[in-house]
Amino acid sequence: MSEMIREVRVTTFKRKGIHSHIRGLGLDKDGKPKPIGDGLVGQLEAREAAGIIVQMIKEGKMAGRGVLFVGPSGTGKTAIAIAIARELGEDTPFVAMDASEIYSSEIKKTEVLMQALRKAIGVRIREFRLVYEGYVKEIKYRVPKSPYTPYMMVPREATITLATKDDQMTLNVGQEIASQLREIGIRKGDVIYIDAQTGAVHLVGRAEVEGAKTYDVDVVKKIEIPKGPVKKEKEIVRTFTLYDLDLSLALRKASFFSIFGFVSEREIDPELRRQVDESVKKMIEEGKAELIPGVLFIDDVHMLDIESFSFLSRAMESEFAPIIIMATNRGITKIRGTDVESPHGIPLDLLDRLLIIPTRPYTADEIRQILRIRMLEEEIELKEEALEELVKIGTETSLRHAVQLLEPSRIIAERKGRKEVTKEDVREALRLFMDVKQSVAHVKKYEESFLR
Ligand SMILES: Nc1ncnc2c1ncn2[C@@H]1O[C@H](COP(=O)(O)OP(=O)(O)OP(=O)(O)O)[C@@H](O)[C@H]1O
Ligand SMILES: [Mg+2]
């Protein structure tokens, strides 16, 4: 089941901006947290605990369980969850969502969750495919002038010579493959393979061969010239998510017209998912595929309602389940959709299966260090007094608010023709932008005056 499927990156980050400085958990070999490491500062116990979770995930010991980060706003719950994703590596799917995303108007709540769950499960598929592989010795495009788009250089055909240490082959390829070659920017010396059945072109790396240009900074990795014949059976390993497989099957089954219906409905038929599950199971039994359970991160989890919680509980028990990591800053609160109060607004039966990791407010020193890291990340220069002002805001309102004021402060300084941000710039930014507590109080004031 691979024809329609294209390779997809399985890691997705929402709200990447304010956490872009985080590269991992900053632990040493023994799993102990460094005071500062991988962009993270302090919060030592939570980081050590998160490191243990990473190990449990890698060893497959987290099945049927979940993690809950609990702590006040701006204490790094989302930051540490993202660090977990970085530690798990590229191949492990990590899907981040905000609980409030389920209240979209177009799709059912449980469907939103189902899609997120399936995006968080990877399937590594191994197959042998007939390919042409070698380094590019020669490539020529034939580009006709198009009467409709005279500026667009769309190749109609290409002639490409692929070579290995032992063999060489010249292929004439049509428009489909020629335009892929052009799009990827294939040049002499690139090692590529072309799938003989699908025509998909893959760049493997670059070999050092005569006549090939080299650059000082190259993003393509250097590799040896391949050996053996150009045309051969090659074992190819690709990772998809269950969601990718659902979509590709749906598209393959859809007729021309129902494709549009499908897209506008945006709900996937459960029967179709069952078929995907069956064929994945079969591939696993035959040793052609492996399951890679990933992580579904649900932020502000107290926003889920009772229906969604029971759906998640059931999902955690199913055969194909990702690890669920949640975060909340609420204490005892009502479970949405009920009159029942519960810790963190989460039903007790689900709470029973969660490992809880607390996060604690930062000291002024830690806030200062985090802001320094963000200054480097965003390339913003602050006067000492400006930094101190932000540290004060971080301690009094929230760290998140302080982090978010950095860029507006920079712009305010820039408009006054300065590169370096002063205390006044920060104060002005503070006057213009509210933190969440303030903004809630702000609308509440008006709501009350409307009700009267
Ligand atoms: N220990 C840390 N080291 C470095 N940066 C951090 C750390 N903790 C938080 N940050 C950064 O501080 C900002 C606020 O943290 P974050 O959003 O993770 O808090 P939170 O606990 O998820 O808050 P909320 O409950 O409001 O969602 C983010 O930019 C985050 O990347
Ligand atoms: Mg958060």
Side-chain angles (χ1 to χ4, degrees):
M1 49 177 339
S2 59
E3 264 127 72
M4 289 282 300
I5 316 168
R6 287 275 147 81
E7 238 158 315
V8 210
R9 282 211 46 199
V10 288
T11 323
T12 50
F13 289 109
K14 282 256 169 93
R15 303 197 288 177
K16 185 178 168 194
I18 63 164
H19 305 291
S20 58
H21 59 290
I22 295 160
R23 275 169 285 276
L25 285 166
L27 307 175
D28 65 18
K29 294 192 300 300
D30 308 319
K32 291 281 177 224
K34 302 172 191 163
I36 303 182
D38 290 340
L40 286 184
V41 176
Q43 212 60 263
L44 301 179
E45 281 95 355
R47 280 161 61 202
E48 184 170 350
I52 293 174
I53 299 293
V54 168
Q55 188 174 340
M56 287 170 75
I57 293 174
K58 285 184 174 163
E59 290 174 358
K61 306 247 169 75
M62 278 295 294
R65 292 205 254 183
V67 177
L68 177 64
F69 283 101
V70 178
S73 185
T75 51
K77 299 182 296 294
T78 305
I80 295 173
I82 285 171
I84 291 179
R86 298 261 191 265
E87 294 286 341
L88 287 171
E90 280 256 333
D91 211 14
T92 309
F94 184 95
V95 178
M97 67 180 286
D98 204 286
S100 56
E101 281 173 45
I102 63 164
Y103 303 104
S104 107
S105 51
E106 290 141 70
I107 320 179
K108 274 200 307 217
K109 289 178 283 193
T110 50
E111 176 70 16
V112 177
L113 285 173
M114 187 56 131
Q115 291 187 9
L117 286 162
R118 291 179 77 83
K119 281 178 191 165
I121 299 171
V123 186
R124 198 181 288 137
I125 299 175
R126 297 165 192 284
E127 19 169 30
F128 281 94
R129 299 191 68 89
L130 189 61
V131 301
Y132 301 96
E133 183 176 54
Y135 75 88
V136 178
K137 201 168 175 188
E138 198 70 68
I139 181 159
K140 276 204 201 84
Y141 296 102
R142 272 180 295 286
V143 183
K145 274 232 172 67
S146 156
Y148 310 113
T149 50
Y151 324 104
M152 243 166 67
M153 305 279 278
V154 182
R156 182 187 288 159
E157 292 172 339
T159 305
I160 183 166
T161 303
L162 293 178
T164 65
K165 280 197 171 129
D166 320 293
D167 188 18
Q168 173 167 328
M169 225 171 150
T170 298
L171 308 164
N172 284 311
V173 298
Q175 182 166 3
E176 164 83 5
I177 296 176
S179 39
Q180 283 182 68
L181 292 167
R182 163 89 10 118
E183 216 169 278
I184 305 171
I186 295 301
R187 49 199 165 103
K188 268 190 207 171
D190 282 342
V191 177
I192 65 168
Y193 68 84
I194 304 175
D195 190 309
Q197 282 142 41
T198 65
V201 178
H202 297 266
L203 178 62
V204 186
R206 258 183 98 60
E208 280 192 41
V209 294
E210 231 178 286
K213 254 195 220 134
T214 52
Y215 297 101
D216 289 337
V217 181
D218 220 332
V219 287
V220 184
K221 69 168 184 257
K222 297 226 158 47
I223 55 169
E224 295 277 304
I225 297 175
K227 294 183 195 133
V230 168
K231 186 176 181 180
K232 64 177 179 196
E233 291 269 327
K234 182 184 171 72
E235 186 182 32
I236 294 174
V237 183
R238 285 179 296 178
T239 307
F240 304 101
T241 70
L242 285 180
Y243 179 74
D244 299 332
L245 299 177
D246 292 346
L247 269 193
S248 88
L249 185 61
L251 285 173
R252 249 185 301 168
K253 290 211 161 167
S255 69
F256 180 76
F257 290 104
S258 62
I259 286 178
F260 296 105
F262 165 74
V263 170
S264 65
E265 254 173 359
R266 291 166 69 194
E267 288 201 12
I268 292 170
D269 181 3
E271 168 57 22
L272 199 140
R273 286 198 175 109
R274 210 190 47 74
Q275 286 176 25
V276 168
D277 290 355
E278 283 304 309
S279 61
V280 168
K281 263 187 245 167
K282 197 158 152 266
M283 281 191 288
I284 293 172
E285 276 159 26
E286 290 168 357
K288 290 181 189 158
E290 264 171 89
L291 210 63
I292 322 169
V295 172
L296 172 60
F297 174 59
I298 308 178
D299 213 346
D300 287 333
V301 72
H302 53 267
M303 290 294 292
L304 293 183
D305 65 354
I306 186 75
E307 190 194 345
S308 309
F309 279 123
S310 24
F311 178 82
L312 274 184
S313 292
R314 259 178 286 128
M316 280 168 84
E317 272 163 18
S318 70
E319 268 174 304
F320 296 160
I323 292 108
I324 299 178
I325 298 183
M326 311 176 200
T328 182
N329 55 17
R330 298 296 157 87
I332 301 263
T333 185
K334 268 195 190 129
I335 303 171
R336 280 200 152 216
T338 72
D339 281 322
V340 183
E341 300 224 310
S342 182
H344 318 299
I346 300 175
L348 292 172
D349 60 325
L350 180 56
L351 271 174
D352 277 347
R353 297 206 243 141
L354 302 178
L355 285 160
I356 299 178
I357 302 179
T359 55
R360 300 183 174 85
Y362 293 110
T363 62
D365 268 344
E366 288 166 333
I367 291 181
R368 190 175 299 111
Q369 269 159 337
I370 294 171
L371 286 167
R372 283 224 162 89
I373 294 176
R374 289 303 304 179
M375 282 165 60
L376 284 177
E377 180 75 16
E378 299 182 48
E379 298 178 32
I380 296 177
E381 290 169 37
L382 291 189
K383 275 213 154 91
E384 243 359 78
E385 50 164 50
L387 179 60
E388 287 318 309
E389 190 64 22
L390 281 173
V391 171
K392 206 170 122 216
I393 295 169
T395 355
E396 284 167 8
T397 59
S398 84
L399 171 61
R400 173 132 56 123
H401 193 41
V403 168
Q404 276 169 338
L405 288 178
L406 273 170
E407 182 62 17
S409 305
R410 188 195 64 77
I411 292 175
I412 290 168
E414 189 184 67
R415 288 186 175 174
K416 293 180 188 153
R418 275 186 278 101
K419 258 205 101 169
E420 222 182 12
V421 176
T422 64
K423 188 174 173 177
E424 278 63 49
D425 301 332
V426 172
R427 288 227 171 117
E428 184 148 355
L430 183 64
R431 192 171 60 77
L432 295 174
F433 295 96
M434 282 180 171
D435 117 75
V436 180
K437 255 185 226 142
Q438 288 172 299
S439 61
V440 169
H442 176 70
V443 279
K444 204 160 199 166
K445 197 168 74 191
Y446 289 101
E447 276 167 13
E448 277 159 13
S449 63
F450 275 134
L451 288 177
R452 254 175 232 141

